[in-house]
Amino acid sequence: MKIAILGGTGNIGKGFALRLSHKHELTIGSRNIEKAKASAAEYNEILKKYGSNNRIEGTDNKTAAQNADVVLLAIRYENIPSIIELINPILDKQIIVSVVVPMAKDRCYINQDSSPLKIPVSPEDYNANYFCYSTPPAGSAAQEIAMLLPEGIELVSSFHNVPANTLANLDMELDYDIGVCGNSMHSKSIVSDLVRGIPNLRPLDVGPIETSAMVESLTPLMINIASRNQMKNLGIKFV
Ligand SMILES: NC(=O)c1ccc[n+]([C@@H]2O[C@H](COP(=O)([O-])OP(=O)(O)OC[C@H]3O[C@@H](n4cnc5c(N)ncnc54)[C@H](OP(=O)(O)O)[C@@H]3O)[C@@H](O)[C@H]2O)c1
């Protein structure tokens, strides 16, 4: 399968490129073709050290998306509209995968004045560093993206709860469950196969695209727990 990772030069894009390249043809996209080629060369060096001859290619985001079966959006929420605008004219039968989590720091709801419960918050905790899920107007990042895509282009929302550093470290074994949300069973099964292709990741069907907010919002929860409890490489596992 031909997979394009838009924003493939970034934190999570690197891990996806490294982990998916052993079974698929990987191209990473960037706004800057030279940057994409440099990142691809860096990833290929890493693969070589692990004994793999697989080649990752680098190009601009639009060309990467044009030639792909699956287009993974490894881009921050605020940059999504410009990327979708860029690729919309060339979308045909590609499956779009969103890993996007809209998050904010220090702008969460809990506020001593506005809390209806008047929960006492200690001064140390109040305004302390933590992340919250920034619910987009449509309900989730995936629903926002669905509204921007041309009719007939299938969207799957997945991989939100995998930490980038863990994914990109090929010495680390992953042992996580991966929620898969979408309205098409066909495209969900293709993305579930991508998940299964990474050892010890288990895809779990979560429901239609409307369920994505629940999965997206687990990521800031995980980050807060990790940072407050000195835990590393947290992921989600249903037991
Ligand atoms: N990091 C994680 O652990 C993690 C885990 C799960 C999900 N996610 C989600 O994955 C997505 C990417 O996260 P990340 O941490 O990998 O992000 P990132 O490294 O900050 O950015 C990814 C790429 O976005 C591109 N970019 C930057 N500004 C842009 C703009 N104005 N327009 C278009 N592209 C732009 C850059 O590529 P070029 O400069 O090469 O164009 C950059 O390498 C986010 O939506 C995040 O919520 C991240």
Side-chain angles (χ1 to χ4, degrees):
M1 184 153 290
K2 291 181 183 172
I3 302 176
I5 303 175
L6 310 193
T9 58
N11 299 320
I12 195 98
K14 178 179 182 178
F16 284 125
L18 293 175
R19 296 273 181 178
L20 292 170
S21 64
H22 68 295
K23 289 205 169 164
H24 304 281
E25 276 182 58
L26 257 291
T27 303
I28 56 168
S30 168
R31 291 166 296 170
N32 176 328
I33 193 164
E34 295 310 321
K35 186 178 174 187
K37 285 182 189 298
S39 291
E42 179 203 326
Y43 303 170
N44 286 326
E45 275 305 306
I46 296 171
L47 290 175
K48 213 157 89 183
K49 281 190 195 140
Y50 284 83
S52 164
N53 292 322
N54 300 320
R55 298 280 313 159
I56 296 168
E57 303 290 336
T59 186
D60 63 279
N61 284 321
K62 193 173 182 178
T63 307
Q66 186 151 25
N67 299 322
D69 303 307
V70 171
V71 176
L72 204 145
L73 303 173
I75 304 276
R76 290 184 184 217
Y77 174 70
E78 58 272 23
N79 300 324
I80 285 292
S82 62
I83 284 284
I84 305 274
E85 190 183 355
L86 177 79
I87 64 169
N88 260 359
I90 54 84
L91 290 179
D92 180 16
K93 292 194 173 104
Q94 295 92 329
I95 294 170
I96 309 296
V97 180
S98 168
V99 307
V100 178
V101 177
M103 292 195 310
K105 207 172 183 185
D106 303 333
R107 276 189 278 130
C108 297
Y109 165 72
I110 294 180
N111 167 326
Q112 278 171 322
D113 298 327
S114 67
S115 168
L117 298 174
K118 301 281 181 222
I119 302 167
V121 182
S122 72
E124 304 88 66
D125 277 352
Y126 188 62
N127 276 343
N129 282 348
Y130 60 92
F131 285 93
C132 57
Y133 181 63
S134 313
T135 309
S140 65
Q143 286 164 286
E144 292 284 329
I145 293 167
M147 293 196 309
L148 297 172
L149 289 173
E151 215 181 313
I153 295 295
E154 294 183 356
L155 172 69
V156 176
S157 190
S158 189
F159 289 109
H160 310 89
N161 315 132
V162 185
N165 56 344
T166 312
L167 199 63
N169 181 349
L170 298 183
D171 286 329
M172 291 202 59
E173 280 197 18
L174 310 173
D175 187 17
Y176 303 132
D177 286 335
I178 304 293
V180 183
C181 313
N183 294 349
S184 153
M185 290 311 290
H186 169 252
S187 52
K188 275 201 285 197
S189 81
I190 288 175
V191 173
S192 296
D193 283 344
L194 295 186
V195 175
R196 274 187 213 97
I198 301 176
N200 295 325
L201 292 190
R202 177 175 67 164
L204 293 176
D205 185 0
V206 177
I209 209 74
E210 291 80 8
T211 60
S212 186
M214 289 185 266
V215 187
E216 292 174 19
S217 65
L218 294 176
T219 299
L221 169 75
M222 284 166 40
I223 294 172
N224 294 337
I225 289 175
S227 72
R228 285 171 177 258
N229 298 277
Q230 293 77 50
M231 297 168 88
K232 283 186 175 169
N233 313 315
L234 284 193
I236 300 290
K237 182 111 182 142
F238 292 88
V239 291

